[in-house]
Amino acid sequence: MYERSSVAELANQLRRELDRYSPGGKLPSSRALVDRFRVSPVTVSRALAQLAAEGLVVTRPGAGAFRAQRREPAAPSGDTSWQEVALSADGAADLVPRSVDASGVLVSLTAPPPGVVEFNGGYLHPSLQPERAMAAALSRAGRRPGAWGRPPMDGLPELREWFARGIGGAITAAEVLITAGGQSALTTALRALAPPGTPVLVESPTYPGMLAIARTAGLRPVPVPVDADGVRPALLADAFRATGARVFVCQPLFQNPTGAVLAPERRGEVLRIAREAGAFVVEDDFVRRLVHEDAGPLPAPLAADDPDGVVVHVCSLTKATSPSFRVSALAARGPVLERLRAIQVVDTFFVPRPLQEAALELVGSPAWPRHLRAISAELKARRDAMTSALRLHLPEVSLPHIPSGGYHLWPRLPEGTDERALAAAALRAGVAITPGRPYFSAEPPAAHLRLSFAAVAGAGEITEGVRRLRTACAEVWGGRP
């Protein structure tokens, strides 16, 4: 077999031979397939990954590949067509969108099939998570007196104090609420600040999960362009005047997806513009603890420079720990805090006390600063590995900004590239990527990809993933060298 076509040919051959094996039956080992078909182990891995993506085989690390079990015929379903009318009916017709689109969020939450390089992940690879420290913290927390009792509604005072110190400025523990993850905190903030049917200003591009929150709440996202120095103040002022919006959601530090940091000269401008518009700024400070080793001193959160209560601040422990360690903070000053507190109580009552106690144990342990130093060095190494691999194997893509924090790159694709076709081709080649389109609330100016370097096993997997992406690009670009 020629290497260029060997993956497809091997996948086709294995597909034809699947009937030889009973459901659950084991296929020949990877070594046996290498010897029989005279292909490389990488070719075998990609071919099996393709069959796994089709649901034909199941791969189990350390055990091998097995024919997938037959699917049982679906039970007869009832007639649910009446729900289309019920879900669309609304006394205020057309005022609030009724459908919910979670596709932009699921891209980074859904694990790809086995053998596929995960460039679409939104969390640290297990090897980067402080699993031992978290386990020890949870064990100690469970033995604390009263650990399984009802916590204060606003959160444990010591944990609120820890988050307040991290925000800085004049923020006090009394102005902090403990919430169950950043997504929950953003949902509470938007529900508190903007009534259904009104506009909300968002960075363009921005995090799809935030766009989903806004649309689910019946809000209308209005884009404000971002450049290498963050949101553009003049366009922000224009957007406030044109829409009458009373909320602007932003990520001033290592913005998702561009990685931009709001320039010092723009920080005061953003707060002044929002204050003059009588509007709130929701500051999503989501990756402050994922700073890279070569970054300089970080700017303080916007909330630290805000005596007038313009900023509603959101920060979380999740990105720096584990997707299941959902502990975050929501900070605000003035009467809005009571509204935020009321919505939080109605929605979730409180964050489970054992998890709050575990968070206190974790951040107060010597393991915590060691963990932050370790991921700071590792994320820089992974960023550099991905940047080098892209420049070597995909010089056609543009990297206008290399961030010094966060966990992803935002390459711009050649003009005319079909992002959806490229994502599908990449999955066939054994690498999962995130198209750029869901990051825009309006028509995007160009095609992009968001490539995560945090969810993979290491630099070697990054290099292999970029090689696979090169194969997918060649397919979509028509064999362009």
Side-chain angles (χ1 to χ4, degrees):
M1 293 183 184
Y2 294 100
E3 187 64 28
R4 175 178 292 181
S5 60
S6 58
V7 173
E9 290 184 11
L10 178 57
N12 287 335
Q13 182 63 32
L14 294 177
R15 197 181 290 111
R16 287 192 293 267
E17 295 181 3
L18 278 179
D19 287 339
R20 298 181 184 178
Y21 308 96
S22 59
K26 186 175 181 180
L27 275 64
S29 68
S30 295
R31 177 172 294 182
L33 294 175
V34 167
D35 293 341
R36 177 184 171 192
F37 293 102
R38 297 183 180 180
V39 294
S40 70
V42 171
T43 297
V44 171
S45 175
R46 292 183 186 178
L48 291 175
Q50 183 169 325
L51 295 183
E54 297 170 9
L56 298 177
V57 303
V58 175
T59 58
R60 299 173 189 151
F66 302 81
R67 183 180 176 184
Q69 297 285 347
R70 290 193 180 96
R71 295 180 180 178
E72 296 297 327
S77 59
D79 181 7
T80 60
S81 57
W82 64 273
Q83 293 186 4
E84 295 184 40
V85 177
L87 292 173
S88 301
D90 197 319
D94 300 327
L95 176 63
V96 181
R98 300 282 289 176
S99 61
V100 179
D101 182 7
S103 58
V105 183
L106 290 173
V107 168
S108 60
L109 291 178
T110 304
V116 174
V117 177
E118 190 174 356
F119 280 172
N120 63 329
Y123 298 101
L124 297 179
H125 187 269
S127 64
L128 297 181
Q129 296 174 18
E131 290 185 346
R132 290 185 179 179
M134 288 189 295
L138 194 58
S139 177
R140 293 193 300 270
R143 296 193 297 268
R144 284 187 170 195
W148 296 92
R150 184 178 61 194
M153 294 295 178
D154 292 354
L156 297 179
E158 303 93 332
L159 188 56
R160 295 165 66 198
E161 175 62 34
W162 184 84
F163 274 112
R165 289 198 305 270
I167 298 169
I171 292 292
T172 67
E175 295 163 329
V176 174
L177 307 174
I178 302 302
T179 62
Q183 188 79 352
S184 173
L186 288 171
T187 300
T188 297
L190 286 189
R191 286 183 58 198
L193 302 177
T198 60
V200 56
L201 305 188
V202 300
E203 294 172 314
S204 182
T206 192
Y207 165 53
M210 199 284 302
L211 295 176
I213 291 171
R215 290 169 176 146
T216 301
L219 306 177
R220 179 165 51 88
V222 177
V224 183
V226 170
D227 61 20
D229 291 321
V231 70
R232 298 169 59 182
L235 295 180
L236 178 64
D238 290 343
F240 272 125
R241 283 192 295 268
T243 64
R246 291 295 179 265
V247 181
F248 169 51
V249 185
C250 66
Q251 295 174 326
L253 186 66
F254 309 133
Q255 196 258 357
N256 184 4
T258 66
V261 176
L262 187 63
E265 63 273 14
R266 294 187 181 184
R267 291 167 56 88
E269 275 289 280
V270 168
L271 295 181
R272 179 189 62 78
I273 290 166
R275 180 71 181 86
E276 291 178 355
F280 289 96
V281 173
V282 177
E283 178 184 28
D284 182 11
D285 199 18
F286 73 116
V287 285
R288 180 169 293 272
R289 295 173 182 87
L290 296 187
V291 60
H292 299 172
E293 193 175 47
D294 59 347
L298 298 185
L302 292 180
D305 301 323
D306 170 41
D308 299 324
V310 172
V311 178
V312 173
H313 179 88
V314 175
C315 57
S316 173
L317 286 173
T318 305
K319 290 295 185 185
T321 54
S322 158
S324 290
F325 206 86
R326 306 201 66 75
V327 177
S328 63
L330 187 58
R333 313 187 74 180
V336 70
L337 182 63
E338 184 54 40
R339 183 178 294 185
L340 293 167
R341 179 184 291 114
I343 293 176
Q344 158 96 352
V345 169
V346 169
D347 282 353
T348 61
F349 290 177
F350 46 75
V351 177
R353 182 162 188 154
L355 195 55
Q356 294 191 55
E357 298 278 9
L360 270 175
E361 288 282 355
L362 177 64
V363 301
S365 71
W368 180 242
R370 289 199 301 267
H371 166 64
L372 294 182
R373 288 193 298 270
I375 59 173
S376 177
E378 181 62 23
L379 288 176
K380 174 190 177 297
R382 290 170 176 228
R383 179 204 67 194
D384 292 346
M386 179 172 278
T387 301
S388 298
L390 287 171
R391 287 172 173 165
L392 176 63
H393 297 290
L394 282 169
E396 299 91 342
V397 306
S398 171
L399 285 171
H401 178 65
I402 308 299
S404 56
Y407 54 91
H408 58 264
L409 298 179
W410 180 243
R412 177 170 175 159
L413 298 170
E415 186 175 354
T417 300
D418 185 331
E419 292 178 6
R420 187 173 298 180
L422 180 55
L427 195 57
R428 289 193 295 270
V431 57
I433 60 176
T434 306
R437 180 63 184 88
Y439 290 79
F440 293 91
S441 60
E443 293 79 6
H448 291 82
L449 296 178
R450 199 194 75 156
L451 300 178
S452 168
F453 46 79
V456 294
E461 193 170 13
I462 288 173
T463 302
E464 173 59 23
V466 173
R467 289 197 192 103
R468 297 181 186 187
L469 183 56
R470 168 79 255 180
T471 300
C473 288
E475 176 186 332
V476 171
W477 296 338
R480 189 186 308 173

